[in-house]
Amino acid sequence: MAKSKASKAAKSAKGGKASKYVYFFGDGKADGDGKMRALLGGKGANLAEMTRIGLPVPPGFTITTEVCTYYYENKRVYPKVLKDQVNVAIAKLEALLGKKFGDTHNPLLVSVRSGARDSMPGMMDTILNLGLNDETVLVVAKKSGNHRWAWDCYRRFVQMYGDVVMGVQKQGKDDHEPFEEVMDRLKEEVGVKQDVDLTADNLKELVRRFKDLILKRTGKEFPQCPIEQMWGSVGAVFGSWNNDRAIVYRRKYGIPHEWGTAVNVQAMVFGNLGGTSATGVAFTRDPASGEKVFYGEYLINAQGEDVVAGIRTPNPIAKLAQEMPAAHAELESVRQRLETHFKDMQDFEFTIEDNKLYMLQTRNGKRTGLAAVRIAVEMVEERLIDWKSAVKRIPADSLAHVLAPIFNRSDRAEAEKAGRLLCKGLPAGPGAASGKIVFNAEDAVHEAHKGNRVLLVRTETTPEDLRGMIAAEGILTARGGVSSHAALVARQMGKVCVCGAADIVIDYTARVMQVKGRTLKEGDYISIDGTAGEVFEGEVKTAPSEVVQVLVSKSLDPKQSRTYQQFAKLMTWCNKLRRLGIRTNADQPDQAANAIAFGAQGIGLCRTEHMFFSGDRIYPMREMILAETVEARKAALAKLLPFQREDFAGIFREMKGLPVTIRTLDPPLHEFLPHDAETQRSTAHKLGVAPEKVAARVAQLHEANPMLGFRGCRLGIVYPEITEMQTRAIIEAAIQVRKEGIKVKPEIMIVLIGFPKELQLQLEIVHRVAKQVMEEKKTKVSYMVGTMIEIPRGALAADLIAKDAQFFSFGTNDLTQTTLGMSRDDSGSFLPAYAENEIVKSNPFASIDQTGVGQLMEIAIAKAHKTRPDIKLGICGEHGGDPESVKFCHRIGLTYVSCSPFRVPIANLAAAQAALEDEAKK
Amino acid sequence: MAKSKASKAAKSAKGGKASKYVYFFGDGKADGDGKMRALLGGKGANLAEMTRIGLPVPPGFTITTEVCTYYYENKRVYPKVLKDQVNVAIAKLEALLGKKFGDTHNPLLVSVRSGARDSMPGMMDTILNLGLNDETVLVVAKKSGNHRWAWDCYRRFVQMYGDVVMGVQKQGKDDHEPFEEVMDRLKEEVGVKQDVDLTADNLKELVRRFKDLILKRTGKEFPQCPIEQMWGSVGAVFGSWNNDRAIVYRRKYGIPHEWGTAVNVQAMVFGNLGGTSATGVAFTRDPASGEKVFYGEYLINAQGEDVVAGIRTPNPIAKLAQEMPAAHAELESVRQRLETHFKDMQDFEFTIEDNKLYMLQTRNGKRTGLAAVRIAVEMVEERLIDWKSAVKRIPADSLAHVLAPIFNRSDRAEAEKAGRLLCKGLPAGPGAASGKIVFNAEDAVHEAHKGNRVLLVRTETTPEDLRGMIAAEGILTARGGVSSHAALVARQMGKVCVCGAADIVIDYTARVMQVKGRTLKEGDYISIDGTAGEVFEGEVKTAPSEVVQVLVSKSLDPKQSRTYQQFAKLMTWCNKLRRLGIRTNADQPDQAANAIAFGAQGIGLCRTEHMFFSGDRIYPMREMILAETVEARKAALAKLLPFQREDFAGIFREMKGLPVTIRTLDPPLHEFLPHDAETQRSTAHKLGVAPEKVAARVAQLHEANPMLGFRGCRLGIVYPEITEMQTRAIIEAAIQVRKEGIKVKPEIMIVLIGFPKELQLQLEIVHRVAKQVMEEKKTKVSYMVGTMIEIPRGALAADLIAKDAQFFSFGTNDLTQTTLGMSRDDSGSFLPAYAENEIVKSNPFASIDQTGVGQLMEIAIAKAHKTRPDIKLGICGEHGGDPESVKFCHRIGLTYVSCSPFRVPIANLAAAQAALEDEAKK
């Protein structure tokens, strides 16, 4: 669309109709305004807008993005009318300022800067001090009385121009920057070390040498004519739209090549004209905390780049009130004007030239998640924006930051300074945690029991580590991605987790780990930040988030927490807006309770297998697996029945009539057996069988690709008695809890269905056992039966499967693995290369691969609706908590998403935003 | 369609229009004929047809399948007009035979039999001797002069009628058959052991007790009126259409429930009236060898069931020429008449009653693969059928039997008799082989080198076993399905293979295996039959098939082999008909040569990794994998280059300009590393690195699910130098062979593509290196680049991928694993239960799962055609050699199928049949 529009403009230009390509701004008036980002770029549009609302913007003009598009579509030739329009604009600029290009009394100096629709920081070229030449430099020197400054400006301009416009750059990888080399040689000759120590005369000599260098390298003289300088610079900026860096950046951030950049030509102002001049960067509110305070920094007698470069330490903005009270007061009023006008927190640049304030740029400021929520909610309270805008504006992932415990900031900085940052891994469970190293689940439980805080450090985790993960403050793994077992469980439990920290090598036997040459042993303190993926040696102080203190640990009075109140307000707004249901993945009553506190409307995935790992239940489970006859298997299952029934009853009680989707046994049986000889021996002893038998069964159950093996409904088909026991536990628990006066709504989910007959066979068992239990208990209880769609065939046969399934829940974890032929656990070896080569836009295990997996979901939905128009559709993969995926689920018409308890608020916000996107389309 | 037709008939019946429901046959005339299978059932249609062509068929009539359909659609009520039509038919029958139902001089006795459109042997009920009652039995006894026989007939009738019509059956699982119980008690009372020892009086008493039993159990008397008996029997036959057995059978064989069964009421004839009576079963040609000889067996003085029951040993049909020369001559002429008329080998039943021949049934006879080919080809030579009918008629899989070496039949029978049949496994590589047991590849090579025939016995095989598999006569595995590595390689090489023989437990250390309590050690002889899946102790003699002797070993003059000549003729016919190309999967020049001999038109899949296992090449391969820098990796690859180039050159030479699709490296790298400590040590020694390094790399490359891991194009993306080397080898080989004056047509296939960018990145490498090589060699060679579609995402993104791919080849092995979420290697634990529960119709790794995998293929094709209408489409999974899959590939419009060399003829025949099916549709 952008392209065709631009092409049209280009055509009309060719046809001779006078398109407007140049937009002037200055003296309180502007041809453009803030809405014209597409045409003027972000910077140009906001310069026009600031001018219009009376802010002190140095005058200038913007050459539109259409010129850029025309330029590339017409072999780098400008529209014919451009020159005239630019000349008119220059004349206007000269008249307004009483200065002239190349004038020997009052020479006009300008900057030439790029400005695309979306900010592309540092990607394209900028030219400052344009208009200086051998004559005007003298005028400027004289007028300012600062010769050194004037020559330094000229020196910088020649260098920039020579580099950017005339292409005097280093040739090969090992070449030196040619201008730097010349300067270094001069510094050596005159015996100084710093640039600032060069005198006016030194700089004059440097200009001469720079010009020589340009002539020698290009065969061309550095142009003295400011008009020529300007066209050269404009051409260079347009040219930089297609440099490698910019192309890579656009590809990465999905910016269309056809958009093009605008070029801003603006009168120069100088913050480095002495003690009455300054330059600075400021935010209208604190971008870290969101607090409504004026926040920023400045330097007296400096240029913009000095603030950023960090050679001098800037002052906090408050100090300006003492150093330049008038300018500070003016800035304060500008700050308020910006917010009233732009309705968002602004990040702006200013320069004070000889006590006069100039605004050089403004844009919406980047902020932390915490600040995003606070600013949006407070702006609603201030009636600056309406509540829907607030919802729209907060990135859904921000809420992870609101919920996560964090390192004490100064403590962390100190630790890094002290060299205690050990290594980095993947940020897998947001938040921060600190504790003693333990290398196995047993130790974790043991230490936690003694009241010690521990971090469980493993090469990778398995379901056997679950107790340890529960006991630990956080989990650190050397292998596995953001969707590895460790990460998945950590997020569900709200545990801090750093995974895939590849620098860590663990020696379980010696109970030590090696990190980049350092050795840490069991019991040593470490601290991890699962938001940043950082691992520290020793302790870094942390605290749980206020929201969690209010909702989960209930240790904080909601009235005491502004953060909580704002969070709660946001959640109320989201609940009003969204049409997608939000459920949670929870296996235990306490998880269910947390999720409800966060606003979940039901359980979308209750994994029954996790229940088999807690306490001594693993033994009857193992007995069941080792059984050699149906009778022996049934006897072992009978021992598990009361545990399962109690677990389900606990969850039903907690959910108080909200729907609970219970998945039948899924993992391959070998996951429940011990794999080391020692535990095999103790298990054999406990079960009264020969250790060889345990080992033999482990060997027999070994699989080449367990992900594609004997699991899911395949277990229930080969061992129907497992499904029988689970159905009995569910129905008995439901009847028991209903007798207590609590409503129950069980939804039984048969897993890994690819063939309609699989579901039919399992359904027959469920209905038969349910009927039997109800007859025994002389009561009825209603339940649903559905299936998880998690292998491509399930999606492709959805019409047939939906005949028997009352609901579908998309298991997008496994659906991603099978559709992409990519093992979640093994993808670490190539996914980094895939990200680097831009083969995948984002990690497909974190955000749904819409082209592949998403397409299969859409196929499944269309097919399912053919045979069961009212089918209930959900998602219970990890993607249910990813904002982009939640929005996708909304668009394809799911009934609900289900995610880990701590991501319920994120899903809620994303779902509300999806609903708002629909409103916008109408 | 069948249903709507039947419904229409039913409606017209309701409307009172006199539909014809009863078809009479007898005395050389018949209302129906052989084409009316849908209406009269197979048996009824052929009885009519035989009557029409003057064969001696006992007269009778057929009640049509429409009555069955009407019966079930109208709450088990018959059309009104049926009774009248049946009465007319009975009157006609009585008139024709001069007998009457219940007549005291000449009573009519009939049989009532079911007869569905497709034969459903043993599924539905049959009543014989109907018309006998307390009076007629005396008449029959008197007339025949054989009282015992008459009472036995009556006894059998009462028993059958009581069971089938009146429902006197055992009640529970542990109940006895009630009639058998009564008979056993009587036998005890009179002190005899065999039924045949019961006297006429005993049988008379038995009839009395049977009638008592019926009355006691049902409250009803056994009916004496033959008309009542007949309606009861007709009702029972229609009722049996919906008994459990029949429903299961129809589901299994895909017979629609709406078809219904017909009922045949036919005059009884008796082969057990003494020395001038007989009964028999015969084939018009030998069903085992296909030889045109009269083949069958008979018993004097017996009923049909006696021949089948096997209590008396029947005589070969030739003996009848001596015992009953006239009957034999008449049979011989019937045999010829049947073939001339039915144009196919017939399997028929006859009875001789007092020297008079009666035909009771005829149908197309079942035959072995060998016989199928011989009969069809010879019938064309005899001008009985045309060549297209011959092609249509031969089951494509028959050719496996024609190509497979076989056990010497008598030797096998002797071995089984001697208790040497050890166990059974899956028939994975057709044919038979015999040899000494070896338990590893090295020993296999070593023993074969010494000239010993060996069978490689492994728990399962891996690519490391390849050399051993080549050296061995056959492969026997304890684990793995028909698509396991062992099976796949065996079929490709035409090796005999039995896999998944679960009774076998191997102890590699002790070099023994246990089979059901027997211990066999290294060096012991065993014999396996890969067509039957049998394993024998000791040697059972074998011979290669004649076709293989002619084409492959070239040890037999084609003129000497009738089998070969018939095979060749069939192949010529197929080549004329088919539109699908046939290629082969071959990795070595000799395999390619075999495939060409069998008629392959190119190589559809050349796996480059197999090349790395032969000889010492594994060491540079391992060096490459252990390399820590790009340079080291490149150095190792440089060592592999000449080997690869030579392999490719060899294949190009053999293929003489036929297309060769070469797949880039696919398997995960750990497959190339040794996993046992000993070989790790020797490898480390050979490569001059520390053994720990080898072990560490093995551990690092270990994957939870290698099938979904770091393999295929993922290798070439992380290590571009691998793709570079392989491209160079292919292009250099192509140029080299072309210089020798041989045409070359390389097609480079990038593997495991899911994302368009993956292909783009690999394409860039292929084109860059190809260009470079051509510049170096100062010549050009054309090549194509395409991709394998083997993961669902590849199919779902086919439109995007086809932009860059010149061809697609469906890798249906992996596509099946990912689409079904089912590991080929691990499915053995649940696929048997899946077959038993009819979840899958056939093994999805043997025949394409059309609903799932097939649907994805169709999606991919439709999408690919959008962006590249002329894309070349093939299949290179094992399914390429499965007849049903080949036909599916034809229907969805593939360009070619590719299969293992020994399945090329099968694919050829299936493709020809698919083309004929199209003709039939026109």
Side-chain angles (χ1 to χ4, degrees), chain B residues 538-828:
Chain B
E539 192 164 2
V540 181
K541 290 203 182 83
T542 67
S545 79
E546 292 183 7
V547 173
V548 172
Q549 287 180 44
V550 171
L551 290 175
V552 178
S553 59
K554 305 206 162 70
S555 56
L556 181 65
D557 180 350
K559 284 175 204 148
Q560 301 283 310
S561 169
R562 195 201 50 252
T563 307
Y564 167 74
Q565 283 170 4
Q566 292 178 341
F567 167 83
K569 191 173 270 182
L570 177 62
M571 290 296 100
T572 313
W573 294 337
C574 293
N575 289 334
K576 243 192 279 187
L577 283 170
R578 71 176 155 78
R579 292 192 303 283
L580 207 53
I582 311 288
R583 295 198 188 179
T584 191
N585 301 346
D587 312 336
Q588 315 276 1
D590 58 333
Q591 289 170 4
N594 289 352
I596 290 193
F598 284 130
Q601 301 169 295
I603 290 179
L605 177 61
C606 173
R607 302 182 188 87
T608 53
E609 56 271 19
H610 285 184
M611 302 175 175
F612 295 126
F613 283 104
S614 62
D616 272 354
R617 303 174 182 190
I618 191 70
Y619 293 106
M621 187 67 188
R622 287 173 180 167
E623 185 184 330
M624 190 278 285
I625 296 167
L626 291 166
E628 281 172 347
T629 64
V630 178
E631 288 67 34
R633 206 151 37 238
K634 282 187 175 176
L637 285 165
K639 293 182 196 170
L640 288 168
L641 175 66
F643 295 125
Q644 286 246 300
R645 188 175 48 219
E646 263 328 290
D647 282 328
F648 293 141
I651 287 173
F652 288 147
R653 275 188 206 105
E654 207 60 68
M655 296 308 284
K656 301 182 181 62
L658 292 174
V660 178
T661 308
I662 297 169
R663 180 175 79 177
T664 49
L665 190 67
D666 184 35
L669 298 180
H670 53 73
E671 282 196 11
F672 298 96
L673 292 182
H675 288 80
D676 61 301
E678 181 50 43
T679 321
Q680 283 178 2
R681 261 193 299 278
S682 68
T683 297
H685 181 73
K686 195 129 189 166
L687 299 180
V689 299
E692 294 74 28
K693 203 183 140 184
V694 180
R697 185 75 172 133
V698 168
Q700 192 189 7
L701 286 173
H702 172 78
E703 295 187 308
N705 294 287
M707 161 70 207
L708 309 175
F710 185 28
R711 49 171 287 235
C713 70
R714 295 162 192 175
L715 297 169
I717 283 165
V718 175
Y719 305 126
E721 48 279 7
I722 296 178
T723 310
E724 285 170 4
M725 184 281 280
Q726 294 205 298
T727 305
R728 176 168 284 275
I730 293 167
I731 302 295
E732 286 184 355
I735 291 173
Q736 179 182 324
V737 171
R738 224 197 22 199
K739 272 190 189 154
E740 298 166 12
I742 300 167
K743 283 189 186 165
V744 285
K745 212 169 170 183
E747 301 178 343
I748 301 173
M749 181 157 70
I750 310 295
V751 68
L752 209 76
I753 295 293
F755 299 86
K757 190 73 191 287
E758 292 173 320
L759 181 58
Q760 285 158 19
L761 288 168
Q762 291 290 288
L763 266 185
E764 185 277 321
I765 296 172
V766 169
H767 290 317
R768 172 168 51 74
V769 174
K771 195 171 161 236
Q772 200 177 319
V773 174
M774 291 189 228
E775 279 168 8
E776 287 166 15
K777 307 278 178 193
K778 299 194 174 53
T779 182
K780 292 203 167 178
V781 67
S782 70
Y783 62 93
M784 290 177 83
V785 192
T787 180
M788 201 149 159
I789 297 291
E790 56 181 335
I791 50 178
R793 199 187 196 278
L796 294 164
D799 44 348
L800 306 171
I801 294 169
K803 283 185 189 166
D804 298 298
Q806 291 174 286
F807 63 86
F808 278 0
S809 178
F810 288 99
T812 48
N813 290 355
D814 283 2
L815 194 59
T816 299
Q817 298 198 75
T818 47
T819 304
L820 272 52
M822 208 179 266
S823 165
R824 194 169 62 181
D825 299 323
D826 304 319
S827 57

Side-chain angles (χ1 to χ4, degrees), chain B residues 425-459:
Chain B
L426 298 169
S434 202
K436 287 180 176 183
I437 296 173
V438 288
F439 291 113
N440 64 59
E442 209 166 313
D443 291 349
V445 173
H446 187 69
E447 287 295 319
H449 202 68
K450 291 199 291 182
N452 289 323
R453 286 180 300 133
V454 293
L455 292 182
L456 179 61
V457 183
R458 303 279 302 166
T459 302

Side-chain angles (χ1 to χ4, degrees), chain A residues 251 479 699-700 702-710 713-714 717-718 752 755 757-758 761 791-794 796-797 800 817-823 825-826 829-830 833-834 837-840 844 849 851-853 855-856 859 863, chain B residues 251 479 699-700 702-710 713-714 717-718 752 755 757-758 761 791-794 796-797 800 817-823 825-826 829-830 833-834 837-840 844 849 851-853 855-856 859 863:
Chain A
R251 202 183 286 147
R479 273 203 220 146
Q700 191 189 10
H702 172 78
E703 294 187 307
N705 295 286
M707 161 68 209
L708 309 174
F710 186 28
C713 69
R714 296 163 192 174
I717 284 166
V718 175
L752 208 75
F755 298 86
K757 190 73 192 287
E758 292 172 320
L761 288 169
I791 50 178
R793 199 188 196 277
L796 294 164
L800 306 172
Q817 298 198 76
T818 48
T819 304
L820 272 53
M822 207 180 266
S823 164
D825 299 322
D826 305 320
S829 47
F830 54 90
Y834 270 49
N837 284 295
E838 292 166 33
I839 293 168
V840 289
D849 161 43
T851 308
V853 177
Q855 189 181 158
L856 267 184
I859 288 173
K863 283 183 175 251
Chain B
R251 202 184 286 146
R479 272 203 221 147
Q700 192 189 7
H702 172 78
E703 295 187 308
N705 294 287
M707 161 70 207
L708 309 175
F710 185 28
C713 70
R714 295 162 192 175
I717 283 165
V718 175
L752 209 76
F755 299 86
K757 190 73 191 287
E758 292 173 320
L761 288 168
I791 50 178
R793 199 187 196 278
L796 294 164
L800 306 171
Q817 298 198 75
T818 47
T819 304
L820 272 52
M822 208 179 266
S823 165
D825 299 323
D826 304 319
S829 47
F830 54 90
Y834 270 48
N837 284 293
E838 293 166 36
I839 293 167
V840 289
D849 160 44
T851 308
V853 177
Q855 189 180 160
L856 268 183
I859 289 173
K863 282 182 177 253

Side-chain angles (χ1 to χ4, degrees), chain A residues 308-335:
Chain A
V308 183
I311 298 168
R312 289 159 61 192
T313 306
N315 298 313
I317 206 85
K319 211 185 167 195
L320 194 66
Q322 296 148 30
E323 292 200 321
M324 293 184 181
H328 183 266
E330 198 181 350
L331 261 182
E332 178 61 52
S333 104
V334 163
R335 173 197 164 214

